[in-house]
Amino acid sequence: MTAATDRGGHGNFIVEWREGFRTGIAEIDAEHQQLFALVKGLELANAKQLLHGLVDYVVTHFTHEEELMERSGYPGLHRHVEMHEGLAARVSEFLVSGASWSEHRVQELRTFLNKWLVGHILTHDLHFGRWYHARGPSTQPLPLPEDPNASWFGRLFGKR
């Protein structure tokens, strides 16, 4: 895609996947693309259900990404985990607030998720991708985590 942003049907700001977000780690890039698709699909009619699905997918992605960082000896792992935990805390506020869903609240969540994803990928995940490739990554595809809910993020949302 050449355009990174678009306006949705209700004047909503939507960020879409673009090549500039590519880390060069196929599995991570595919997961990032899915995250953007999930956020793009967030609407008032499906907000509660989609948010739960998004949480499940983020648990899997973060666990996958953190395991790759740990196995490769990435020196920024602990800081990266802290950033993931920060997102988890913010998303948990949306889940437990008890506030009813409105167009405004959906847009607030979408805007937060879009900004976080773009900022995190462009700053931290791309840095990891460069570091990973400079070390000569394995050509083996990444296995899925045995228990993606065993991470801190999964435990936060009661996924154990």
Side-chain angles (χ1 to χ4, degrees), residues 7-14 42-45 103 106-107 110:
R7 294 278 174 186
H10 303 290
N12 297 329
F13 191 66
I14 299 171
L42 182 63
E43 297 179 2
L44 180 57
E103 286 291 343
V106 168
Q107 182 57 27
R110 185 185 299 115

Side-chain angles (χ1 to χ4, degrees), residues 3 6 9 13 17 34 37 39 41-42 48-49 52 57 63 72 81 86 90 97 112 115 123-124 136 147 149 159:
D6 190 12
F13 191 66
W17 170 262
Q34 180 62 26
V39 173
L42 182 63
K48 188 174 181 178
Q49 179 183 3
H52 285 285
Y57 194 79
T63 301
S72 65
V81 169
R90 181 70 173 105
S97 75
F112 166 74
K115 286 181 179 179
T123 304
H124 305 285
D147 182 6
N149 299 321
K159 300 293 181 183

Side-chain angles (χ1 to χ4, degrees), residues 85-103:
E85 290 173 353
L87 174 68
R90 181 70 173 105
V91 170
S92 71
E93 292 172 13
F94 277 95
L95 286 172
V96 300
S97 75
S100 61
W101 287 99
S102 64
E103 286 291 343

Side-chain angles (χ1 to χ4, degrees), residues 31 59-61 63-65 67 143-149:
E31 290 174 2
V59 167
T60 299
H61 168 64
T63 301
H64 192 190
E65 190 174 84
E67 284 183 352
L144 288 176
E146 287 184 30
D147 182 6
N149 299 321

